[in-house]
Amino acid sequence: MDKQEVRSNLLNIMSNEEQVKIDENLSTYTFTHTGGEADLFVKPQTYEEVGKTVAYANKHQLPLTILGRGSNLIIRDGGIRGIVIHCGCLNQIKCEGETLIAQSGASIIDVSRFALAHALTGLEFACGIPGSVGGALYMNAGAYGGETADVLRGAVVVDTNGSILKLEDHELEMGYRHSAFSQKGYLALEGTFVLKKGNPVEIKQEMDRLTELRELKQPLEYPSCGSVFKRPTGYFAGKLIQDSGLQGTRIGGVEVSMKHAGFMVNVDHGTASDYIRLIRHVQETVKKKFGVNLETEVKIIGEEPNK
Ligand SMILES: Cc1cc2nc3c(=O)[nH]c(=O)nc-3n(C[C@H](O)[C@H](O)[C@H](O)COP(=O)(O)OP(=O)(O)OC[C@H]3O[C@@H](n4cnc5c(N)ncnc54)[C@H](O)[C@@H]3O)c2cc1C
């Protein structure tokens, strides 16, 4: 792949030079502050630009990766080959009666606050989830008993051919940390959330309560990717890790959090390789001690660094 040639082709799709970058450092786009470079990094400003970029990648058989706010990703230190699309410029949120329509690059925390400002209840659970709307749809993000699927009524997506489709909730196949986005490779452009009229004082109280719980339990003072592992059936990942005596274990600059065993925090210039080695170590130890397989919730993508 000739990066300069691909860049100039992609610039024909975009409206300004700044929207396509070569060898962009992705560590500034991840919550762990780790990760290598993207060959091509694209920031579309319209749905059409997204659709055309996907169609271009498809036509030229270039790998395509979608980056949200990078709060559930470990990007290997060798970076990402092909094209990375970042939807951060698509961040509008609007309200139509009891319905909120939010573009994929908007932060789900902002959407939750927007709901509060319009006295709408149903998105309080999302007030501390640091991802984007696109990431929340892809992951079916949830917390404290609520999840995205509870309030999602539809989405506008781009399929792998670059066509823009409007889908209803039943077509989105939302399950535990799973969705049609992960199964069918859809790129989310916007989500429609159906909420209910509520009392703003009560909505705010609930958001404050959940924020307090989060601040009490989670090591928010350090870079991390949230809960590293999915909840194994019948167990809690954090408890298994704690009971394995793994809290405080450090590889390179990354440590199993002392505050919340399900989190791994970047305490001293850790790399993605440190994260991955620590994840494997925790998986092996828990398997040996309890016979339970811990599956990662965090997505690990990209290439190993050249030795
Ligand atoms: C401190 C902390 C606390 C957290 N707490 C929670 C929590 O309580 N509950 C919870 O569920 N998660 C939690 N997370 C994890 C994370 O915030 C969520 O998984 C979030 O939904 C990821 O969104 P993102 O935009 O950061 O996605 P990214 O991390 O950028 O990407 C995650 C996946 O989504 C895909 N994706 C992103 N945008 C799109 C799009 N527009 N279309 C299609 N696919 C897309 C990516 O390709 C990738 O596969 C936490 C993370 C941190 C760091």
Side-chain angles (χ1 to χ4, degrees):
M1 182 184 71
D2 177 339
K3 294 187 205 175
Q4 290 296 349
E5 186 188 331
V6 176
R7 177 169 188 264
S8 86
N9 291 336
L10 288 170
L11 280 175
N12 288 333
I13 298 172
M14 307 295 151
S15 50
N16 77 65
E17 289 263 318
E18 288 304 301
Q19 288 178 260
V20 186
K21 295 192 171 147
I22 289 181
D23 296 337
E24 181 76 346
N25 182 347
L26 295 173
S27 67
T28 52
Y29 297 91
T30 61
F31 270 64
T32 58
H33 298 180
T34 66
E37 294 177 348
D39 285 346
L40 275 305
F41 184 82
V42 183
K43 285 188 92 167
Q45 292 180 347
T46 65
Y47 292 179
E48 288 66 33
E49 288 176 0
V50 178
K52 284 182 180 170
T53 304
V54 173
Y56 174 84
N58 190 353
K59 182 170 170 206
H60 296 275
Q61 298 187 340
L62 295 173
L64 185 79
T65 303
I66 309 158
L67 180 61
R69 287 171 62 84
S71 63
N72 199 47
L73 278 183
I74 291 173
I75 298 173
R76 291 189 181 89
D77 297 315
I80 300 182
R81 301 293 73 80
I83 300 173
V84 172
I85 294 194
H86 185 258
C87 293
C89 296
L90 297 166
N91 56 11
Q92 300 300 308
I93 311 169
K94 63 180 181 184
C95 178
E96 292 175 0
E98 294 179 7
T99 301
L100 289 193
I101 300 168
Q103 291 187 326
S104 61
S107 122
I108 194 77
I109 293 179
D110 287 348
V111 181
S112 164
R113 289 182 184 152
F114 191 90
L116 164 64
H118 289 78
L120 293 171
T121 178
L123 268 172
E124 292 87 332
F125 75 87
C127 71
I129 301 178
S132 63
V133 168
L137 266 56
Y138 179 97
M139 297 298 298
N140 187 16
Y144 302 113
E147 61 179 18
T148 306
D150 296 341
V151 284
L152 186 70
R153 285 300 165 268
V156 177
V157 309
V158 174
D159 71 11
T160 49
N161 297 317
S163 306
I164 297 176
L165 315 172
K166 205 167 178 178
L167 301 179
E168 303 287 324
D169 55 348
H170 64 89
E171 295 170 284
L172 299 172
E173 299 165 28
M174 309 289 279
Y176 174 61
R177 305 293 179 265
H178 158 103
S179 65
F181 297 94
S182 46
Q183 298 308 299
K184 298 193 173 148
Y186 293 147
L187 185 155
L189 289 174
E190 66 178 45
T192 300
F193 302 92
V194 175
L195 306 174
K196 291 198 175 82
K197 272 276 165 226
N199 176 335
V201 175
E202 286 169 14
I203 298 169
K204 170 127 188 354
Q205 269 170 359
E206 179 62 358
M207 287 167 69
D208 289 346
R209 186 182 74 83
L210 298 182
T211 303
E212 226 170 89
L213 275 180
R214 224 175 245 280
E215 285 170 356
L216 201 69
K217 300 217 160 130
Q218 300 183 355
L220 302 178
E221 60 280 22
Y222 290 110
S224 83
C225 50
S227 296
V228 175
F229 301 103
K230 290 184 186 170
R231 195 178 54 227
T233 313
Y235 299 92
F236 289 101
K239 177 91 171 67
L240 292 169
I241 296 166
Q242 195 175 354
D243 293 348
S244 301
L246 285 161
Q247 275 184 293
T249 304
R250 190 190 282 203
I251 292 185
V254 180
E255 186 175 290
V256 177
S257 166
M258 292 301 293
K259 193 168 174 186
H260 186 315
F263 279 51
M264 290 181 183
V265 285
N266 190 350
V267 287
D268 186 14
H269 306 93
T271 61
S273 305
D274 295 341
Y275 263 99
I276 292 163
R277 282 165 56 216
L278 189 57
I279 288 170
R280 302 289 173 247
H281 175 67
V282 167
Q283 285 172 322
E284 281 163 23
T285 309
V286 167
K287 174 77 179 168
K288 236 184 251 165
K289 202 157 167 72
F290 296 104
V292 178
N293 288 315
L294 288 182
E295 202 186 317
T296 49
E297 172 165 332
V298 64
K299 307 277 165 209
I300 302 173
I301 60 172
E303 309 285 318
E304 297 289 355
N306 289 330
K307 293 269 158 23

